[in-house]
Amino acid sequence: MTSYFRRTGPHTFQPTELTGGAWALDEQHIAPMTGLIVHEVDRLVAARGGDELVTGRISMDILGVLKVADEFELTVQVIRPGRTIELLEAVVVTRGRAAVRARVWRMGRTDTAAVAGGAPEPLPDPEQLGTYSLGDVWGGGYIASIALRPVVASVPGRGTVWIGTDTSLVAGEQAGELAEWVKLIDTANGIAVRESPMEWMFPNLDLTIHLHRQPRGRWTGLDTEVIFGADGQGLTSSTLHDVHGPVGRAEQILTVRQLQAFHRSPVRTG
């Protein structure tokens, strides 16, 4: 098994066990789904002849659980057409209901190299760093499929790591560079945990990615901070990197609950 998904039709997919976790082993981790949505956006663009637009924002609302055992449908449509700016919407449907809704802003390229600036410093080269496993904190096939290289030792609520994987998005298909890179970003909520997931639940209800340039390379860098508020809300914020430097930011809103309270009042798991 070397892929996260297997295509079963023009717009339908079967997840593999490598999508499993983190809160429940029989539920999909949302990280690979992020890459799949970008892959399907790329396929729609290619089918209509291609263009020169690039992705600037990916915003996902996670409406329900996606089971590893269940086939699902993923469709993409244009919400706001345009030659220099367009908005697309992707909907993931399983068991007859929408489980994820995502919107993707795409925009035209212009040469702004003369005024580029303001980004933080690059992270150290991941090829020069040691490895680390999240397997003692999180279970599931997804966590087992990724390789972590920490930049510094993580502390509660703060972590900086590189993540890579040899697992492809869709069996037998070549995904684009952006799709392969974003499929790892949702891991951010699990690399700098403030409290043990055996005692507290803090799944994310969304994932929003803003890019100020297009990423390149196989490594996804996450410089992440996790904040828990006093009334059940939390926020995971990450500066995103590729091997050439910063590329943007990601935000995830969290629902924070003690484990027993969570089971009394269930919501979706991230």
Side-chain angles (χ1 to χ4, degrees):
M1 192 184 304
T2 58
S3 65
Y4 291 117
F5 304 102
R6 177 173 57 85
R7 189 180 296 275
T8 57
H11 305 291
T12 56
F13 300 86
Q14 180 65 50
T16 74
E17 292 181 3
L18 296 181
T19 64
W23 296 105
L25 302 186
D26 65 340
E27 298 173 3
Q28 289 187 52
H29 198 292
I30 207 65
M33 181 63 72
T34 313
L36 184 62
I37 286 170
V38 174
H39 180 50
E40 290 302 280
V41 166
D42 289 344
R43 283 169 52 84
L44 180 148
V45 173
R48 68 189 189 191
D51 57 39
E52 296 301 318
L53 304 185
V54 296
T55 295
R57 191 203 72 179
I58 305 160
S59 180
M60 301 172 55
D61 289 313
I62 306 164
L63 308 177
V65 169
L66 286 154
K67 292 289 188 178
V68 173
D70 291 347
E71 185 181 64
F72 62 89
E73 179 184 52
L74 197 173
T75 57
V76 181
Q77 62 176 324
V78 178
I79 301 299
R80 190 275 194 193
R83 290 182 296 176
T84 59
I85 299 174
E86 73 169 355
L87 178 63
L88 294 87
E89 182 177 66
V91 181
V92 179
V93 175
T94 184
R95 297 189 178 188
R97 58 174 176 75
V100 177
R101 288 187 180 272
R103 290 197 165 189
V104 178
W105 275 109
R106 303 178 69 245
M107 58 194 67
R109 293 178 183 267
T110 58
D111 184 359
T112 54
V115 295
E121 292 297 311
L123 298 180
D125 182 357
E127 301 294 348
Q128 305 301 316
L129 301 175
T131 60
Y132 174 76
S133 173
L134 282 177
D136 56 348
V137 180
W138 303 102
Y142 172 71
I143 294 300
S145 75
I146 62 176
L148 266 72
R149 299 196 175 184
V151 175
V152 295
S154 294
V155 298
R158 194 75 176 85
T160 306
V161 303
W162 289 102
I163 304 178
T165 183
D166 293 326
T167 306
S168 64
L169 266 175
V170 183
E173 299 183 17
Q174 180 64 54
E177 204 160 23
L178 178 61
E180 292 286 358
W181 185 82
V182 301
K183 74 183 182 186
L184 301 170
I185 290 176
D186 191 73
T187 319
N189 192 35
I191 66 166
V193 296
R194 296 198 63 85
E195 301 291 341
S196 168
M198 301 299 293
E199 300 175 7
W200 289 85
M201 299 200 76
F202 40 93
N204 56 299
L205 304 181
D206 77 337
L207 171 63
T208 301
I209 301 166
H210 287 92
L211 302 174
H212 58 77
R213 71 171 175 84
Q214 297 300 289
R216 293 174 289 158
R218 66 177 295 265
W219 290 99
T220 301
L222 304 172
D223 185 7
T224 297
E225 180 180 40
V226 179
I227 299 170
F228 286 176
D231 56 0
Q233 292 176 260
L235 181 66
T236 295
S237 303
S238 302
T239 299
L240 307 175
H241 293 252
D242 68 7
V243 293
H244 304 284
V247 300
R249 292 194 57 82
E251 303 285 341
Q252 298 164 286
I253 191 68
L254 315 178
T255 173
V256 183
R257 304 184 186 189
Q258 284 187 299
L259 195 56
Q260 289 183 343
F262 184 95
H263 286 308
R264 288 196 298 269
S265 180
V267 297
R268 56 82 49 193
T269 55

